[in-house]
Amino acid sequence: MSETDRRDPLLLDAMLGKLASYLRMCGYDAAYALDRGAESDADVLALARTEGRRLVTRDEGLAREMDDALLLTRRDVEEQLRELSGVGFELDLSDEPVHCGTCNAPVERVDRTEPTPDYAPDPAEEPVWRCRDCGQHFWRGSHWDDVADTLAEL
Protein backbone atom coordinates (compact mmCIF):
# COMPACT_ATOMS: atom_id res chain seq x y z
CA MET A 1 0.00 0.00 0.00
CA SER A 2 1.29 3.47 -0.81
CA GLU A 3 2.35 6.06 1.75
CA THR A 4 -0.48 8.25 2.96
CA ASP A 5 -0.11 12.01 2.67
CA ARG A 6 -1.33 14.02 5.67
CA ARG A 7 -3.37 16.09 3.22
CA ASP A 8 -5.44 13.02 2.26
CA PRO A 9 -8.73 13.28 4.18
CA LEU A 10 -9.71 10.21 6.17
CA LEU A 11 -12.98 8.83 7.52
CA LEU A 12 -12.72 6.54 10.54
CA ASP A 13 -15.60 4.20 11.23
CA ALA A 14 -17.51 3.87 14.51
CA MET A 15 -14.91 1.51 16.00
CA LEU A 16 -12.03 3.98 15.69
CA GLY A 17 -12.97 7.09 17.67
CA LYS A 18 -9.87 7.11 19.88
CA LEU A 19 -7.64 6.62 16.84
CA ALA A 20 -9.24 9.67 15.21
CA SER A 21 -7.98 11.85 18.07
CA TYR A 22 -4.42 10.59 17.66
CA LEU A 23 -4.48 11.15 13.90
CA ARG A 24 -5.81 14.68 14.34
CA MET A 25 -2.96 15.46 16.73
CA CYS A 26 -0.57 14.18 14.04
CA GLY A 27 -2.02 16.68 11.57
CA TYR A 28 -4.44 14.42 9.68
CA ASP A 29 -7.90 15.48 8.56
CA ALA A 30 -9.54 12.53 10.33
CA ALA A 31 -13.34 12.67 10.39
CA TYR A 32 -15.06 10.23 12.74
CA ALA A 33 -18.22 8.63 11.34
CA LEU A 34 -20.31 8.95 14.51
CA ASP A 35 -19.43 12.66 14.86
CA ARG A 36 -20.83 13.11 11.36
CA GLY A 37 -24.05 11.16 11.99
CA ALA A 38 -22.96 8.21 9.83
CA GLU A 39 -24.00 5.12 11.75
CA SER A 40 -24.99 2.61 9.06
CA ASP A 41 -22.53 1.11 6.58
CA ALA A 42 -24.40 2.82 3.76
CA ASP A 43 -24.07 6.20 5.49
CA VAL A 44 -20.35 5.68 6.12
CA LEU A 45 -19.73 4.72 2.49
CA ALA A 46 -21.78 7.63 1.19
CA LEU A 47 -19.91 10.10 3.40
CA ALA A 48 -16.51 8.76 2.36
CA ARG A 49 -17.43 8.93 -1.33
CA THR A 50 -19.14 12.32 -1.18
CA GLU A 51 -16.24 13.96 0.66
CA GLY A 52 -13.48 12.04 -1.11
CA ARG A 53 -12.21 10.53 2.14
CA ARG A 54 -10.19 7.35 2.49
CA LEU A 55 -12.06 4.94 4.73
CA VAL A 56 -10.21 3.49 7.72
CA THR A 57 -12.16 0.64 9.29
CA ARG A 58 -12.02 -2.56 11.32
CA ASP A 59 -15.01 -3.96 9.41
CA GLU A 60 -13.92 -6.37 6.65
CA GLY A 61 -17.23 -6.14 4.80
CA LEU A 62 -17.15 -2.36 4.82
CA ALA A 63 -13.52 -2.33 3.65
CA ARG A 64 -14.43 -4.49 0.64
CA GLU A 65 -16.96 -1.84 -0.47
CA MET A 66 -14.29 0.83 -1.13
CA ASP A 67 -11.26 0.37 -3.34
CA ASP A 68 -8.81 2.35 -1.24
CA ALA A 69 -10.16 1.46 2.21
CA LEU A 70 -7.64 0.63 4.87
CA LEU A 71 -8.59 -2.35 7.03
CA LEU A 72 -7.15 -2.42 10.53
CA THR A 73 -7.17 -5.70 12.43
CA ARG A 74 -6.24 -4.67 15.97
CA ARG A 75 -8.50 -3.33 18.74
CA ASP A 76 -5.93 -1.51 20.86
CA VAL A 77 -5.22 2.05 19.68
CA GLU A 78 -1.45 1.65 20.05
CA GLU A 79 -1.56 -1.47 17.88
CA GLN A 80 -3.73 0.39 15.36
CA LEU A 81 -1.11 3.14 15.27
CA ARG A 82 1.56 0.49 14.58
CA GLU A 83 -0.55 -0.87 11.73
CA LEU A 84 -0.86 2.61 10.24
CA SER A 85 2.85 3.27 10.61
CA GLY A 86 3.51 -0.02 8.84
CA VAL A 87 1.61 1.15 5.74
CA GLY A 88 3.31 4.53 5.54
CA PHE A 89 1.41 6.88 7.84
CA GLU A 90 3.68 9.52 9.38
CA LEU A 91 2.85 9.45 13.06
CA ASP A 92 4.49 12.32 14.84
CA LEU A 93 2.93 15.33 16.46
CA SER A 94 2.53 18.46 14.40
CA ASP A 95 4.48 21.47 15.65
CA GLU A 96 1.14 23.20 16.06
CA PRO A 97 -2.35 21.71 16.12
CA VAL A 98 -4.12 21.84 12.76
CA HIS A 99 -7.39 20.01 13.50
CA CYS A 100 -9.59 20.07 16.57
CA GLY A 101 -9.13 16.90 18.60
CA THR A 102 -12.83 16.98 19.42
CA CYS A 103 -14.58 17.74 16.13
CA ASN A 104 -11.82 17.79 13.45
CA ALA A 105 -12.49 21.39 12.36
CA PRO A 106 -9.54 23.74 11.78
CA VAL A 107 -7.97 25.45 14.79
CA GLU A 108 -6.49 28.93 15.05
CA ARG A 109 -3.93 30.44 17.38
CA VAL A 110 -5.41 32.53 20.18
CA ASP A 111 -3.93 36.01 20.39
CA ARG A 112 -1.80 36.70 23.48
CA THR A 113 -4.31 39.33 24.65
CA GLU A 114 -7.48 37.23 24.29
CA PRO A 115 -9.14 35.74 27.36
CA THR A 116 -9.41 31.96 27.56
CA PRO A 117 -11.73 29.66 29.55
CA ASP A 118 -10.73 28.73 33.11
CA TYR A 119 -9.52 25.30 31.96
CA ALA A 120 -7.00 26.76 29.48
CA PRO A 121 -3.71 28.50 30.23
CA ASP A 122 -3.12 32.20 29.66
CA PRO A 123 -2.10 32.65 25.98
CA ALA A 124 0.41 35.32 27.07
CA GLU A 125 2.30 32.57 28.92
CA GLU A 126 1.74 29.55 26.67
CA PRO A 127 0.53 29.10 23.07
CA VAL A 128 -3.19 28.26 22.92
CA TRP A 129 -5.34 27.33 19.92
CA ARG A 130 -9.14 27.45 19.53
CA CYS A 131 -11.39 25.37 17.30
CA ARG A 132 -13.17 27.53 14.75
CA ASP A 133 -16.31 25.38 14.99
CA CYS A 134 -16.80 24.08 18.53
CA GLY A 135 -14.73 26.65 20.42
CA GLN A 136 -12.65 24.04 22.29
CA HIS A 137 -9.21 25.35 23.39
CA PHE A 138 -5.98 23.35 23.01
CA TRP A 139 -2.39 23.71 24.19
CA ARG A 140 0.67 21.53 24.46
CA GLY A 141 0.10 20.20 27.97
CA SER A 142 0.35 16.82 29.67
CA HIS A 143 -2.01 15.15 27.17
CA TRP A 144 0.25 16.31 24.33
CA ASP A 145 3.24 14.82 26.19
CA ASP A 146 1.40 11.53 26.76
CA VAL A 147 0.58 11.23 23.05
CA ALA A 148 4.19 12.11 22.15
CA ASP A 149 5.41 9.32 24.46
CA THR A 150 2.98 6.83 22.92
CA LEU A 151 4.07 7.73 19.39
CA ALA A 152 7.76 7.53 20.34
CA GLU A 153 7.25 3.92 21.47
CA LEU A 154 5.85 2.75 18.11
Side-chain angles (χ1 to χ4, degrees):
M1 189 162 293
S2 65
E3 186 173 311
T4 296
D5 189 308
R6 289 186 210 219
R7 293 176 304 231
D8 294 339
L10 305 170
L11 176 62
L12 284 78
D13 76 3
M15 295 182 265
L16 301 173
K18 190 171 183 180
L19 181 62
S21 294
Y22 276 86
L23 290 173
R24 292 169 182 166
M25 290 182 74
C26 290
Y28 287 92
D29 175 355
Y32 177 49
L34 293 182
D35 287 346
R36 304 293 294 280
E39 294 184 26
S40 71
D41 287 358
D43 289 343
V44 170
L45 292 168
L47 182 59
R49 289 180 177 127
T50 300
E51 295 187 4
R53 293 182 177 276
R54 183 174 186 192
L55 178 63
V56 182
T57 182
R58 288 191 55 243
D59 183 320
E60 289 180 42
L62 194 55
R64 282 192 295 269
E65 296 294 320
M66 290 204 66
D67 292 337
D68 66 343
L70 178 57
L71 178 65
L72 299 180
T73 61
R74 308 304 298 255
R75 288 180 186 233
D76 178 74
V77 72
E78 289 179 31
E79 293 300 317
Q80 292 167 350
L81 289 164
R82 282 189 183 87
E83 285 183 281
L84 291 173
S85 179
V87 296
F89 278 69
E90 291 183 42
L91 297 173
D92 51 11
L93 290 174
S94 300
D95 291 335
E96 295 189 1
V98 179
H99 299 280
C100 176
T102 303
C103 75
N104 196 49
V107 297
E108 59 191 1
R109 181 90 176 256
V110 173
D111 185 79
R112 300 173 45 86
T113 62
E114 287 185 61
T116 55
D118 290 341
Y119 68 82
D122 182 343
E125 297 174 10
E126 184 172 344
V128 177
W129 294 266
R130 176 183 46 246
C131 176
R132 292 182 189 166
D133 284 359
C134 74
Q136 181 76 28
H137 286 72
F138 300 92
W139 63 97
R140 293 176 66 163
S142 60
H143 180 62
W144 186 277
D145 295 338
D146 292 344
V147 170
D149 291 345
T150 297
L151 296 173
E153 294 174 10
L154 297 178

